[in-house]
């Protein structure tokens, strides 16, 4: 009887299994590498966004007493740097957005941001249900680094009947006016 070569027969039976294992490992490694590259790309985009935003540094200026005159540098007011788009401070009217209108416990909290940098002014809140004024309040405008915000409104929920309410905040500062609107269900 002829002698069979066991090595050749064993290789043939193990060779497909080894090939399948190697292919599966290669697929697993390629998936892992592609996920790593995708995460790195996402992190790079987020870090680019952070790098592109510029923070405004406030410098403390010490005033030195002078006898009769003050330098023009001390009296000039610095304006924030405008990075993208048109400067909202040059608009004829005030613009902004309602950033919060929610009930927290027994208090209705309403907040609004203003697109322009304003040194002073007022926010007047009017709330309507079925277009009848039911509540009115006012708060000061607070300047931030490059824009402004209404000081905020914290109102007891007991001042309102349940239902749908319209929120209108009238903004005034100097000769400029504007309106921020929103809605809430109580």
């Amino acid at each position: 009887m002829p002698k069979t070569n066991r090595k050749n027969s064993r290789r043939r039976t193990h060779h497909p299994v080894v090939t399948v294992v190697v292919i599966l490992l290669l697929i697993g490694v390629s998936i892992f590498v592609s996920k790593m590259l995708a995460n790195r790309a996402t992190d790079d985009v987020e870090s680019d966004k952070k790098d592109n935003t510029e923070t405004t540094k406030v410098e403390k200026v010490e005033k030195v007493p002078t006898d009769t005159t003050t330098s023009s540098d001390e009296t000039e007011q610095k304006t924030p740097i405008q990075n993208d788009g048109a400067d909202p401070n040059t608009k004829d009217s005030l613009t902004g957005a309602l950033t919060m209108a929610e009930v927290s416990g027994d208090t209705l909290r309403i907040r609004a941001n203003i697109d322009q940098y304003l040194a002073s002014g007022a926010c007047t809140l009017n709330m309507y249900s079925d277009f009848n004024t039911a509540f009115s309040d006012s708060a000061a405008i607070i300047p931030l680094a490059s824009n402004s915000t209404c000081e905020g409104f914290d109102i007891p929920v007991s001042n309102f009947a349940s239902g749908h309410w319209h929120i209108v905040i009238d903004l005034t500062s100097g000769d400029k006016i504007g309106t921020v609107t929103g809605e809430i269900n109580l």
Side-chain angles (χ1 to χ4, degrees), residues 9-170:
S9 66
R10 188 180 296 160
R11 259 190 206 158
R12 286 183 193 146
T13 59
H14 289 287
H15 182 62
V17 172
V18 171
T19 304
V20 169
V21 169
V22 169
I23 289 172
L24 289 175
L25 284 173
L26 289 174
I27 290 171
V29 168
S30 64
I31 290 172
F32 177 75
V33 168
S34 65
K35 284 187 178 185
M36 292 287 289
L37 291 174
N39 286 343
R40 181 177 286 167
T42 303
D43 291 344
D44 289 346
V45 169
E46 288 177 5
S47 68
D48 286 345
K49 285 181 183 178
K50 288 179 183 176
D51 291 343
N52 287 337
T53 59
E54 183 174 324
T55 57
T56 304
K57 183 178 180 183
V58 178
E59 296 179 10
K60 184 176 180 181
V61 178
E62 293 185 29
K63 291 187 178 182
V64 178
T66 57
D67 292 333
T68 57
T69 61
T70 60
S71 70
S72 62
D73 290 341
E74 291 179 9
T75 58
E76 286 182 26
Q77 185 177 10
K78 292 183 179 181
T79 56
I81 296 172
Q82 179 65 32
N83 292 322
D84 294 329
D87 184 0
N89 292 315
T90 60
K91 290 183 177 181
D92 293 333
S93 62
L94 301 176
T95 57
L98 192 65
T99 57
M100 179 193 293
E102 66 183 24
V103 176
S104 176
D106 294 338
T107 304
L108 171 61
R109 297 181 190 277
I110 299 174
R111 304 291 186 265
N113 281 350
I114 304 166
D115 297 332
Q116 293 82 6
Y117 177 82
L118 305 170
S120 63
C123 302
T124 304
L125 169 69
N126 292 299
M127 294 193 59
Y128 303 94
S129 177
D130 298 326
F131 297 100
N132 294 319
T133 301
F135 186 83
S136 185
D137 195 8
S138 64
I141 289 178
I142 300 171
L144 300 174
S146 62
N147 59 3
S148 305
T149 186
C150 292
E151 187 174 22
F153 301 96
D154 294 331
I155 310 154
V157 176
S158 61
N159 289 351
F160 304 99
S162 62
H164 188 76
W165 289 85
H166 299 276
I167 301 168
V168 178
I169 301 175
D170 294 317

